[in-house]
Amino acid sequence: FTETAYKATATELNPNTVYHYAVGNKDGELSEEATFTTASESNEDFSFIHYTDTQNAFSSENQRSEADYSNSTIQSMLENPNAEDARFALHTGDVVNDDWNDTEWNLTLDALLPLNNEMPHMFITGNHDNDNFLDHINTDNAIEGMDSGAAYSTRYNGVQFINLNTEQANESDEDEAPAILDNQMEWFEEELQKAQEAKDNGDIDWVFVSYHRPLFSSSYHSLEDESVQLIRDDLMALLDEYDVDLVFNGHDHNLTVTHALTHNAETFGNAEVATAGETNEDVTTFNNPEGTVFFIPSTAGTKTYNTIYKLESFDWILENEDIHETYEDLFGHELTEENINSFRELLLTEEQPFISSFYAEGHSNARESNFQHYSVVDVTSDTVTYELYQVVGEDLDNRETTLVHSYEITK
C-alpha cells in the first residue's frame, strides 16, 4: 500500500509569540489544536526537553509496547511542573526500530503526539531511522544530496544548535566508512566558525551539538561501532577547537555523562578530562569548565543496554562483545584492560537502573524495561542545568517520576 506524508512550512512568524494551529482534510475534519512558541529576538532564558531512542518495534507489541511506555513518558513530561515552560523537545534519534515499517512510524508518532501538540521537536537521525527519516520528519537538510538523514543548524535565543547525521556511512561505497563524511564535516566546521564568531560578538552564549552515535558511553556502541572510530579523532578535534559546550547523544540506551573533555590524539578515546565535575549528593557542578560535556539520557523506550565497562570484567568484554575485533580490524590494535580503564576515567556517570537476566550474556535486554528517562534543560546566559528524570512502574496509568540527578554548567 502507499502512504502520503503532507508537510507544511510556516513563514513570516513574529518572535516570542505563541501560535495555534490544526491540521484538516478535504472533508472538513480537524485535528486537536496544537501550539508552538517562537524564539525571542534576545538571549532570553528558556527550557527544553531532551529524550531519545523511543525505538518502537512493532514486534514488541507482544512484549512491552514501547509506544505505550514512550507515551507514558511523554505524559510525565507534560505533567512535570519543572518542564511546563519548555519551548521545544530534542529527540536524539531512533524514533522507530525499523525505518521501512510505516506501522512503527504511525504508532510512535501517535505516542509522541501529545508532546508534539504542545511544542515543536528537533529530531536527530538515528541508525534505525535513516533511510525513511525525511519521509516522516519535516526538517531542514543543509547537505545537498544527503539521503541518509538530515543535518541542520538553528539558533534559539542565546544558543546555536548544530545537529549532525551520523548515518552517512550508508552513502559510501567503501566497506569501512566514517559516520560523518567529508561534505558534512566541512559544513560542520563552517557552522562552528560562524557560531564561534557569534559567541565572540555576544550574539549567543552557548553552542550545543547533537548527533545519535556517541563518542563516549558506558555501553558497547561507542567503542564497537566502526563508523564512530573512523570519525572519533576528527570530530573530537573540532568540538574542542571551537569550544562546543554540550553534546547530546543517544544510541547506547544507558545513563552516561562525561566530565568536561578536550581532544588528545595520543590517548585511548582521543580525549582527556580537562575539567572534572564536582558531585555533592544528587547535584554535579562544572564551574567555568574547559572542554565539552556529553549527555546520554538512557531511553524513552523499553530496550536498555548494560553499563558493561563498570559492571563486567575485561575477560567478559572480550568474550561477549566485539570491541576488540573493531580495533584489530581498523587499527591493528589489540584492546587492553588499560584501554578500558582509561576510557572509563572520561565518564562521570555510568548507570543502568534496570536490571535484566539477559545482561549475563551480552549488553542488551529483551525490550522489557519499565524504566524510562528524559531530561529538562534550563538555559540562562551563564548557566545550563540538565535535570535527569526517571519514570518507573508497571501500571501505565500510575507511574512514578523522580528527579535522579542534576548537572549544572556555569561560566
Side-chain angles (χ1 to χ4, degrees), residues 200-261:
D200 293 342
N201 292 337
D203 297 330
I204 62 172
D205 304 307
W206 305 90
V207 179
F208 297 168
V209 173
S210 300
Y211 52 88
H212 184 61
R213 296 179 187 256
L215 297 181
F216 309 102
S217 166
S218 57
S219 198
Y220 80 112
H221 270 310
S222 59
L223 291 180
E224 187 169 299
D225 288 7
E226 292 187 356
S227 65
V228 172
Q229 313 324 312
L230 292 173
I231 200 63
R232 175 182 294 280
D233 192 64
D234 289 342
L235 182 55
M236 191 62 210
L238 285 180
L239 296 172
D240 184 15
E241 180 180 356
Y242 292 100
D243 297 325
V244 170
D245 297 293
L246 306 181
V247 168
F248 303 104
N249 298 130
H251 195 45
D252 245 346
H253 300 230
N254 66 79
L255 303 175
T256 297
V257 181
T258 69
H259 295 285
L261 307 180

Side-chain angles (χ1 to χ4, degrees), residues 48-260:
F48 67 95
I49 293 169
H50 176 210
Y51 69 115
T52 191
D53 291 271
T54 42
Q55 202 177 329
N56 177 55
F58 183 61
S59 60
S60 72
E61 295 302 300
N62 295 317
Q63 302 172 45
R64 292 190 193 273
S65 168
E66 286 172 297
D68 288 345
Y69 276 85
S70 294
N71 178 261
S72 173
T73 306
I74 293 299
Q75 295 299 332
S76 171
M77 299 174 191
L78 294 171
E79 294 168 5
N80 187 336
N82 291 331
E84 63 183 4
D85 293 326
R87 293 293 190 90
F88 61 88
L90 169 67
H91 187 305
T92 45
D94 281 359
V95 180
V96 297
N97 190 66
D98 301 299
D99 62 329
W100 51 267
N101 191 324
D102 280 335
T103 298
E104 290 184 5
W105 283 101
N106 290 337
L107 286 169
T108 308
L109 293 177
D110 282 349
L112 306 187
L113 186 61
L115 190 62
N116 267 320
N117 281 347
E118 295 291 330
M119 64 188 71
H121 270 65
M122 279 196 286
F123 283 105
I124 308 302
T125 307
N127 58 299
H128 288 271
D129 307 322
N130 57 311
D131 286 345
N132 287 305
F133 180 81
L134 292 172
D135 290 341
H136 296 87
I137 304 299
N138 188 16
T139 189
D140 291 335
N141 192 3
I143 311 299
E144 185 176 355
M146 178 190 285
D147 59 9
S148 61
Y152 56 103
S153 182
T154 189
R155 186 175 298 179
Y156 200 98
N157 293 10
V159 179
Q160 188 68 38
F161 289 86
I162 307 176
N163 302 323
L164 304 178
N165 170 23
T166 52
E167 303 314 309
Q168 268 197 300
N170 295 324
E171 300 178 21
S172 174
D173 294 330
E174 301 293 330
D175 291 336
E176 297 171 348
I180 302 172
L181 299 183
D182 288 344
N183 60 343
Q184 187 180 180
M185 287 294 283
E186 292 169 3
W187 169 82
F188 180 40
E189 185 165 15
E190 291 172 359
E191 290 298 309
L192 287 171
Q193 289 170 347
K194 289 187 286 186
Q196 187 62 60
E197 182 178 347
K199 217 179 194 183
D200 293 342
N201 292 337
D203 297 330
I204 62 172
D205 304 307
W206 305 90
V207 179
F208 297 168
V209 173
S210 300
Y211 52 88
H212 184 61
R213 296 179 187 256
L215 297 181
F216 309 102
S217 166
S218 57
S219 198
Y220 80 112
H221 270 310
S222 59
L223 291 180
E224 187 169 299
D225 288 7
E226 292 187 356
S227 65
V228 172
Q229 313 324 312
L230 292 173
I231 200 63
R232 175 182 294 280
D233 192 64
D234 289 342
L235 182 55
M236 191 62 210
L238 285 180
L239 296 172
D240 184 15
E241 180 180 356
Y242 292 100
D243 297 325
V244 170
D245 297 293
L246 306 181
V247 168
F248 303 104
N249 298 130
H251 195 45
D252 245 346
H253 300 230
N254 66 79
L255 303 175
T256 297
V257 181
T258 69
H259 295 285

Side-chain angles (χ1 to χ4, degrees), residues 340-411:
I340 298 299
N341 291 338
S342 65
F343 187 75
R344 283 196 63 206
E345 290 176 0
L346 307 175
L347 309 180
L348 170 68
T349 300
E350 41 182 338
E351 299 293 340
Q352 178 48 262
F354 182 73
I355 305 301
S356 170
S357 60
F358 288 89
Y359 294 151
E361 298 180 356
H363 54 263
S364 181
N365 76 342
R367 299 182 182 273
E368 57 183 315
S369 176
N370 63 348
F371 284 66
Q372 282 71 45
H373 294 83
Y374 65 91
S375 296
V376 178
V377 188
D378 297 321
V379 183
T380 73
S381 60
D382 58 9
T383 303
V384 174
T385 304
Y386 189 95
E387 295 182 333
L388 179 64
Y389 289 90
Q390 180 170 277
V391 187
V392 182
E394 284 293 314
D395 183 355
L396 290 171
D397 296 321
N398 187 28
R399 306 183 76 206
E400 181 179 3
T401 299
T402 56
L403 174 61
V404 177
H405 203 87
S406 295
Y407 303 85
E408 297 179 357
I409 300 94
T410 60
K411 63 179 181 179

Side-chain angles (χ1 to χ4, degrees), residues 10-73:
T11 59
E12 300 181 8
L13 302 176
N14 294 318
N16 203 26
T17 302
V18 179
Y19 284 89
H20 299 253
Y21 68 97
V23 178
N25 60 22
K26 63 182 180 180
D27 296 324
E29 298 172 321
L30 282 177
S31 69
E32 295 180 12
E33 185 179 275
T35 64
F36 65 90
T37 304
T38 52
S40 171
E41 287 185 300
S42 60
N43 296 2
E44 292 183 4
D45 301 349
F46 71 100
S47 301
F48 67 95
I49 293 169
H50 176 210
Y51 69 115
T52 191
D53 291 271
T54 42
Q55 202 177 329
N56 177 55
F58 183 61
S59 60
S60 72
E61 295 302 300
N62 295 317
Q63 302 172 45
R64 292 190 193 273
S65 168
E66 286 172 297
D68 288 345
Y69 276 85
S70 294
N71 178 261
S72 173
T73 306

